[in-house]
């Protein structure tokens, strides 16, 4: 029985557990907005832009490239939403253009010096390396997101349901969508170093997608998304410790399993 709790003995596992406790509501809330707004590809594009942010940080001589990463991802998010609202091109095409350009630019800039391998940690991430100060940053992001959610939820919901009607009711649709884009960009970028850009989008989308299959209203949708994100995070962390796998990818697989179970449940209920 004691063997089942040996995973909690190392300090890095305690830190990782604490991070997941706060990442659950963070990814659950943000993921529900991403899925509801049909912008899953958007968060993926933001993740890909991280490499360019890192490259800019290196070029500018910034010791910690986080500032450059967040700054570039927010600029990219603002640009995508602006072109989407002002232009006539489809959203997925716009996101695809920005995403492919950003990741290509980042790879070119980082590989030009011949030391691209040292930045590959951003591809996979490592939540086991999270420090107390970084946990504090994660907590701050969670609190900020909850505050924004409470203040702007009704307006975001109205914009999501019918942007034209929302605009006729005096809702500043452009800035509401930009707020969503900037917050998503900042949180995704800050989380990349622990989750990895290869799986960050899955961590956002899968819990919300699973929740949507079994929820009956918006409150259940949000609640189930947070619960699924939290449960998959805990189980994935513990499992990765015992089998020696990458934590982020293991959590994604648990998320995928829960999505499958919710899908089966939804199919059975409709029969």
């Amino acid at each position: 029985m004691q063997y089942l709790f040996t995973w909690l003995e190392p300090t890095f596992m305690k830190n990782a557990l604490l991070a997941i406790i706060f990442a659950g509501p963070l990814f659950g809330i943000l993921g529900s907005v991403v899925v509801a707004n049909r912008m899953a590809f958007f968060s993926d594009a933001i993740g890909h832009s991280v490499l360019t942010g890192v490259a800019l940080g290196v070029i500018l001589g910034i010791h910690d490239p986080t500032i450059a990463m967040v700054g570039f991802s927010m600029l990219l998010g603002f640009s995508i939403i602006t072109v989407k609202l002002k232009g006539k091109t489809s959203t997925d095409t716009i996101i695809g253009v920005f995403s492919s350009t950003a990741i290509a630019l980042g790879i070119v800039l980082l590989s030009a010096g011949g030391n691209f391998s040292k930045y590959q940690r951003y591809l996979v991430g490592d939540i086991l390396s999270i420090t107390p100060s970084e946990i504090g940053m994660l907590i701050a992001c969670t609190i900020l997101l909850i505050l924004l959610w409470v203040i702007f939820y009704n307006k975001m919901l109205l914009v999501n349901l019918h942007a034209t009607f929302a605009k006729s009711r005096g809702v500043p649709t452009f800035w509401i969508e930009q707020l969503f884009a900037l917050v998503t960009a900042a949180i995704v970028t800050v989380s990349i170093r622990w989750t990895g850009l290869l799986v960050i989008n899955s961590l956002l989308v899968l819990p919300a997608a699973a929740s949507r299959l079994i929820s009956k209203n918006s409150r259940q949708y949000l609640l189930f998304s947070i619960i699924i994100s939290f449960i998959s995070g805990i189980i994935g962390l513990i499992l990765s410790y015992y089998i020696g796998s990458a934590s982020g990818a293991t959590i994604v697989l648990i998320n995928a399993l829960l999505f499958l179970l919710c899908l089966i449940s939804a199919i059975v209920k409709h029969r």
Side-chain angles (χ1 to χ4, degrees), residues 54-66:
V54 173
L56 291 176
V58 172
I59 293 174
L60 296 174
I62 302 175
H63 177 68
D64 183 357
T66 302

Side-chain angles (χ1 to χ4, degrees), residues 42 46 49 52 56 67-83 98 102 178 181-183 185-186 189:
F42 173 80
I46 294 299
S49 73
T52 305
L56 291 176
I67 297 176
M69 289 162 54
V70 172
F72 181 78
S73 66
M74 292 180 73
L75 176 62
L76 183 72
F78 183 88
S79 301
I80 289 175
I81 297 301
T82 300
V83 174
F98 277 94
Q178 287 291 6
L182 295 176
V183 170
T189 306

